[in-house]
Amino acid sequence: MSGKVPELNPAGLRVVLVLQGGGALGAYQAGVFQAMHEHGLAPDWIVGTSIGAINAAILAGNPHETRLARLKEFWEGIAHRDSYDMRQLPDAQRRSNILLQTWDTLLRGVPGFFRPRLMSPFAAGMAVDPEQASFYSTDELGDTLNRLIDFDYLNGPGGIRLTINALKVTCGSLRSFDNRQLNINADHVRASGALPPGFPPVRIDGDLYWDGGLYSNTPLETVLDDNEHVDTLCFMVDLWNADGEEPTTLDEVQTRQKDVTFASRSKRHLDDYVATHNLQQKLRELYLQLPEQARTQKGAEDLAQLGVGSTLHVVRLAYAGRDWNMAAKDINFSKGSIEWRWDQGYQDALRALKAAGWLSFVTEDTPLVVHELPPARSNVHDQERAA
């Protein structure tokens, strides 16, 4: 490992990476990881949903020296080649190229990821087998994952902990697949990204699963519910923005709808986490005030289950590209767009690492510190043009 590790994590905090779903926007996550990788911040635990589960599985399923290369291989493999260098085109032509690329994705799919089901009765409203109930097949994604991921390594001891979330179709409950509890394979990853009606559900141990983002697209609560109670540095990567302007066109309405549907609900989860943490601290204080004869072994055991006071640092990294308010931005696999998103994630993560707010002193009874990025130099208009 790099000698930079003590510099950015001298206290040995557990490093967690939380990855949302967002289709082609997930290239931003890859850029974030590249910056972490180059600065010696290897995740101890990655939690992902949908495209976040794919990125997470590729990272957890390869040793340190090949992780970044395998991640690049995946994104380069699914990128649609542009007819022109997007950086050399004026804004109007760049947008037209992206629209054409998006239509190409809808009509032909993405090689190595998904393909349309030609002449499928499902599109005509007819009944099909549950595993065929979609407009596209993700069989090719399974082949890609098996090629890029060493599942023996992923499920072996001593590697990155991986948790990927999926929704059980028949009851709507969330299921977390964790390599500490079971052997994860390509089907678990496909299930986490099985967003209907585009992608089919995946059957695992007799049950059908859809995309975990239908329940919660930001799997931060998986980390908050963890009972290890250790000081943690959590990088949370958001691909959708809950805040936005009032929409005036159909495309803007559909874009705003997607953003609101899949945006992080992290503030509510974090507020609940702090409230619970403070309540646990009060319980510990009250128990210690009891006379010695009133304390019991059972009470001490129950108190121990609450854990000791720990601090969670959350570094929030948010994708800022507006993509011209295109509702189909998550299926824009244009090579130029993917490269820009990757670079934007990389640059944003570098800003976060340079600020390194988690290195500042906090008291032992501080349950949570949220670190937002300092303002970027480039403006939103530049980001729209580049995306």
Side-chain angles (χ1 to χ4, degrees):
M1 293 293 293
S2 166
K4 298 177 181 177
V5 175
E7 179 183 342
L8 289 177
N9 191 14
L13 304 178
R14 177 181 61 171
V15 180
V16 180
L17 182 59
V18 174
L19 304 177
Q20 272 190 347
L25 308 182
Y28 178 85
Q29 299 170 342
V32 170
F33 171 76
Q34 180 181 350
M36 295 174 62
H37 180 79
E38 291 177 354
H39 288 76
L41 281 175
D44 300 297
W45 183 16
I46 310 180
V47 186
T49 294
S50 199
I51 194 65
I54 294 174
N55 282 333
I58 292 172
L59 297 177
N62 286 283
H64 177 267
E65 60 272 14
T66 60
R67 283 171 193 158
L68 187 59
R70 291 291 179 269
L71 194 61
K72 286 183 177 179
E73 187 176 345
F74 171 75
W75 283 99
E76 290 173 355
I78 64 174
H80 279 212
R81 299 290 176 182
D82 296 309
S83 301
Y84 307 95
D85 184 348
M86 293 272 282
R87 295 168 296 182
Q88 305 302 320
L89 295 178
D91 195 59
Q93 286 183 270
R94 186 182 293 112
R95 182 174 182 179
S96 296
N97 175 72
I98 287 176
L99 288 171
L100 289 174
Q101 293 283 13
T102 303
W103 275 108
D104 186 57
T105 297
L106 289 170
L107 294 173
R108 296 195 303 118
V110 175
F113 198 157
F114 59 91
R115 293 281 190 178
R117 297 187 190 275
L118 300 177
M119 307 302 291
S120 170
F122 174 78
M126 300 173 64
V128 296
D129 291 338
E131 292 92 337
Q132 308 294 316
S134 64
F135 296 122
Y136 300 89
S137 166
T138 58
D139 290 343
E140 291 189 15
L141 175 60
D143 296 335
T144 298
L145 294 172
N146 283 321
R147 177 172 54 84
L148 294 177
I149 298 172
D150 182 345
F151 283 101
D152 289 335
Y153 178 86
L154 185 151
N155 293 304
I160 294 175
R161 180 183 178 186
L162 173 67
T163 306
I164 53 180
N165 293 333
L167 180 81
K168 192 173 180 180
V169 173
T170 55
C171 66
S173 61
L174 190 68
R175 172 78 184 275
S176 292
F177 300 110
D178 193 303
N179 64 350
R180 286 189 175 183
Q181 302 169 359
L182 54 83
N183 285 337
I184 289 177
N185 59 39
D187 283 345
H188 296 97
V189 184
R190 288 176 56 234
S192 183
L195 184 65
F199 297 162
V202 178
R203 193 176 296 279
I204 298 173
D205 297 331
D207 294 317
L208 285 176
Y209 290 92
W210 271 333
D211 192 310
L214 294 172
Y215 185 96
S216 176
N217 197 41
T218 304
L220 178 65
E221 56 265 43
T222 302
V223 178
L224 301 181
D225 292 341
D226 182 57
N227 58 7
E228 290 195 13
H229 306 294
V230 296
D231 291 339
T232 297
L233 172 59
C234 175
F235 290 85
M236 182 178 70
V237 187
D238 288 344
L239 300 178
W240 306 89
N241 194 347
D243 299 322
E245 298 179 357
E246 296 178 351
T248 59
T249 66
L250 175 60
D251 208 33
E252 289 177 358
V253 167
Q254 292 176 322
T255 302
R256 190 90 284 274
Q257 180 189 25
K258 267 192 176 179
D259 276 329
V260 170
T261 300
F262 295 117
S264 171
R265 304 293 186 269
S266 58
K267 186 179 186 305
R268 183 188 67 203
H269 295 312
L270 292 172
D271 288 345
D272 290 344
Y273 175 81
V274 171
T276 300
H277 191 285
N278 289 339
L279 179 60
Q280 291 172 342
Q281 181 62 29
K282 290 297 182 184
L283 287 173
R284 282 190 287 267
E285 293 173 359
L286 289 172
Y287 184 80
L288 292 175
Q289 292 176 13
L290 290 174
E292 191 69 32
Q293 61 272 20
R295 301 180 192 180
T296 64
Q297 180 65 28
K298 181 64 168 57
E301 291 173 356
D302 290 341
L303 197 66
Q305 289 294 319
L306 298 178
V308 296
S310 59
T311 300
L312 171 64
H313 293 269
V314 175
V315 181
R316 182 173 175 268
L317 296 143
Y319 172 64
R322 302 298 179 89
D323 298 270
W324 298 285
N325 287 311
M326 294 172 62
K329 59 186 176 181
D330 52 329
I331 57 171
N332 166 20
F333 287 90
S334 155
K335 186 174 186 292
S337 295
I338 285 177
E339 289 177 344
W340 181 86
R341 289 167 183 148
W342 185 302
D343 182 67
Q344 187 66 24
Y346 179 73
Q347 297 299 332
D348 285 352
L350 287 181
R351 286 163 53 208
L353 297 177
K354 182 178 180 180
W358 58 90
L359 297 179
S360 300
F361 173 77
V362 295
T363 59
E364 290 185 0
D365 59 348
T366 302
L368 172 72
V369 184
V370 178
H371 306 276
E372 299 285 355
L373 282 178
R377 292 181 180 178
S378 59
N379 57 39
V380 171
H381 179 66
D382 290 338
Q383 293 166 354
E384 287 182 352
R385 287 175 57 85

